[in-house]
Amino acid sequence: MNFAPVSNPTDSYWLSEPHKLASFSSSATVPEHVDIAIIGTGLAGVATAYHILKNSDPKNRPSIALLEARDACSGATARNGGHIKMKLQSLKGWCDQHGAEAAAELVKWVEAQRHDLQQISEEENIDCEFQVRRSYDIFFDQGHATELKSWMSARQNEGVIPFEDMQWVEGPHLDRITGVKGAVAAFSSPAISLWPYKFVTGLLERVVDLGATLHTNTPVFSVQNSSNEGSSPVMSTSKGNMRAAKVVYATNGYVAGLLPQYRDVIMPIIGQNSRIVPDDATLARVPTSATTYNFHYDSVFVDYLNPRPDGSVIHGGGGRSLNKAQSDRTETGRNSRFNSVDDSQLLNDQVAQDFCEFDEQHFYGWEAGKARVDSTWTGVMGITTDGLPHVGRVPGTTNQWILAGFNGGGMVMIPTMTRSIAKMVMHSEELENTDIPRQFKTTEMRLSNIFPTSSK
């Protein structure tokens, strides 16, 4: 399989206002040597560079080169939902797998991500429509809702997991409280909404100001390691070879193209997103929602929605629609979205229309049926068998680090993680000495956790 990004991806709404650095390159060829090479210019790569440079001596900052196969920040960060929150179902799954104390740590971790992004956005004065909001997990299946309510009540009685800013919501006025018709229950939690592309490219501009070089449309073909321990890897790119004393892989679902040991460990998967715009009459009479959402149809299928300040909504997910589309099955029985990096095509033409119809059926004031699909696009995520990202020093290396495999939830994992990765790269800190959850550490043992349909 070819893990290289395709050259003609679908057009994401988030990319509709290109930044001035979108296709910028600091030079016609890559530098012959740098202290640190960072592959990927999404949130993971750019924030790592930012923290390294911000926390270095201004008189002795390391040389950093950021390399991107396409335009800057044109991958998953510019194709996601644009909100950060904690889903109750995810918290339960984490608790079931790792225990209540680890779940409490996860709640604090997600809270830190929200605060970290707000701090950076304000300190660097990044114009990215950043908003502090609430979010609702909306439940349409009574059995699923009852299970989660019982679990939450039991954990509240134990007093280990901090639910102070979270609330279970139900009752006769649920529709009006949440703004969504037909739900049987809801879970309220804090959230952040932003224009992710504008945040990252605004931060990227600051990174370049601090001295980093940027090389867009410069795919990395390979990273060759010398047999001499501690020697600098040599990177082969479309604009020449470059030797880097240290390398950071921030390519998420594409990482197996450069680190083959992650093949079938971090599997690329395609997701679909859309922007839905109500008609002018609806925009005139219905205020923009102040909350983001996750819609749980049952215990398996969930979509997300992020209202924009202009009254439109970003609505994504689509698993339920895809599951119904039998024509989207491959001969192996799996959806063609699995093990693919082809974001040049839609998964299914019906997905965005299903989003549009859902919004008309469930949102007050949208009943007239005149909402339209303004744009729809796909993006590449990286999933793992255990649902956890791979973070830290690449096993078997001394000067290479990875942060990838975010299982569609990168925005709730990456921000403070990059502060710790920066320390690991600069000062050879071990992951155990940072605040990154230990379960995220990439290890030889975890590299054996491959998908059952693996070709290995």
Side-chain angles (χ1 to χ4, degrees):
M1 174 185 168
N2 183 4
F3 286 89
V6 300
S7 60
N8 58 334
T10 50
D11 295 328
S12 165
Y13 162 72
W14 299 124
L15 294 164
S16 60
E17 298 180 20
H19 190 271
K20 63 182 181 181
L21 294 178
S23 57
F24 176 81
S25 287
S26 298
S27 56
T29 60
V30 295
E32 291 185 4
H33 181 275
V34 293
D35 295 320
I36 304 168
I38 298 177
I39 308 172
T41 58
L43 178 59
V46 172
T48 297
Y50 172 77
H51 291 305
I52 290 173
L53 293 171
K54 280 283 286 187
N55 292 287
S56 298
D57 182 351
K59 297 180 180 179
N60 191 33
R61 286 189 173 119
S63 58
I64 296 180
L66 292 104
L67 301 109
E68 175 61 58
R70 302 191 299 211
D71 282 358
C73 191
S74 59
T77 300
R79 297 172 180 276
N80 63 29
H83 69 154
I84 297 175
K85 60 170 287 185
M86 167 66 71
K87 294 203 304 272
L88 183 61
Q89 182 167 298
S90 297
L91 181 58
K92 179 182 182 299
W94 184 268
C95 184
D96 291 346
Q97 186 174 4
H98 302 289
E101 290 186 1
E105 182 182 10
L106 181 64
V107 171
K108 294 177 181 177
W109 176 266
V110 174
E111 181 180 20
Q113 312 312 304
R114 294 186 286 106
H115 293 166
D116 193 70
L117 282 185
Q118 182 172 5
Q119 178 184 342
I120 294 174
S121 176
E122 293 173 353
E123 283 185 0
E124 299 297 344
N125 194 29
I126 300 175
D127 182 10
C128 59
E129 297 184 0
F130 190 98
Q131 293 184 331
V132 178
R133 291 180 167 184
R134 297 293 295 181
S135 186
Y136 285 113
D137 290 353
I138 301 292
F139 302 105
F140 294 104
D141 180 83
Q142 185 63 63
H144 183 215
T146 299
E147 177 189 3
L148 287 174
K149 180 183 179 182
S150 297
W151 177 85
M152 180 178 174
S153 296
R155 302 294 81 75
Q156 285 177 313
N157 290 335
E158 293 170 354
V160 177
I161 301 175
F163 286 103
E164 286 84 358
D165 292 329
M166 307 174 192
Q167 182 183 21
W168 187 264
V169 186
E170 58 185 17
H173 304 298
L174 179 64
D175 286 7
R176 292 192 175 277
I177 293 170
T178 63
V180 178
K181 302 176 184 177
V184 298
F187 172 73
S188 173
S189 61
I192 290 295
S193 172
L194 76 165
W195 191 309
Y197 172 78
K198 288 187 177 181
F199 175 84
V200 172
T201 51
L203 195 62
L204 178 61
E205 186 173 352
R206 178 66 174 136
V207 166
V208 171
D209 289 342
L210 289 170
T213 62
L214 172 63
H215 307 273
T216 66
N217 298 292
T218 307
V220 177
F221 302 131
S222 64
V223 180
Q224 298 295 328
N225 299 298
S226 170
S227 58
N228 297 324
E229 184 176 350
S231 62
S232 299
V234 177
M235 311 174 67
S236 172
T237 82
S238 64
K239 296 180 181 177
N241 292 340
M242 179 176 68
R243 188 176 294 275
K246 300 176 181 179
V247 180
V248 177
Y249 299 88
T251 55
N252 200 23
Y254 297 98
V255 72
L258 296 174
L259 292 173
Q261 62 267 48
Y262 286 90
R263 186 182 179 106
D264 300 316
V265 177
I266 299 177
M267 178 186 287
I269 177 176
I270 304 295
Q272 189 162 326
N273 205 346
S274 65
R275 179 179 183 242
I276 310 298
V277 182
D279 66 316
D280 290 342
T282 301
L283 285 172
R285 68 175 181 269
V286 178
T288 299
S289 173
T291 59
T292 73
Y293 298 93
N294 281 96
F295 301 120
H296 293 263
Y297 305 106
D298 51 34
S299 61
V300 177
F301 296 114
V302 56
D303 291 338
Y304 58 81
L305 185 144
N306 182 9
R308 304 301 307 133
D310 64 3
S312 65
V313 300
I314 302 298
H315 198 153
R320 186 179 66 152
S321 298
L322 294 171
N323 189 62
K324 292 186 297 183
Q326 295 301 316
S327 61
D328 190 55
R329 299 282 179 175
T330 66
E331 59 273 15
T332 63
R334 301 195 74 172
N335 284 337
S336 58
R337 63 194 294 231
F338 289 92
N339 218 16
S340 172
V341 296
D342 185 4
D343 56 1
S344 67
Q345 301 180 22
L346 299 179
L347 290 171
N348 189 288
D349 292 337
Q350 184 61 31
V351 172
Q353 190 57 43
D354 286 349
F355 292 153
C356 192
E357 292 175 2
F358 175 94
D359 297 339
E360 292 171 350
Q361 292 170 5
H362 292 279
F363 281 105
Y364 288 99
W366 288 52
E367 300 88 351
K370 294 182 180 180
R372 61 182 174 86
V373 179
D374 174 76
S375 57
T376 185
W377 61 92
T378 50
V380 179
M381 300 173 284
I383 61 173
T384 60
T385 57
D386 57 13
L388 306 176
H390 279 258
V391 184
R393 198 187 308 270
V394 176
T397 73
T398 59
N399 52 5
Q400 299 180 51
W401 291 264
I402 182 175
L403 57 166
F406 298 111
N407 295 279
M411 297 293 286
V412 299
M413 298 182 186
I414 292 171
T416 65
M417 180 185 291
T418 58
R419 290 182 183 270
S420 295
I421 286 288
K423 293 177 182 178
M424 295 172 73
V425 173
M426 288 298 295
H427 307 297
S428 296
E429 290 276 0
E430 295 300 326
L431 183 140
E432 289 81 359
N433 296 327
T434 72
D435 59 358
I436 297 175
R438 307 299 176 263
Q439 296 88 346
F440 292 179
K441 183 177 181 178
T442 187
T443 62
E444 289 285 0
M445 182 176 294
R446 287 191 66 205
L447 290 180
S448 67
N449 294 334
I450 62 176
F451 282 89
T453 54
S454 167
S455 59
K456 286 187 178 179

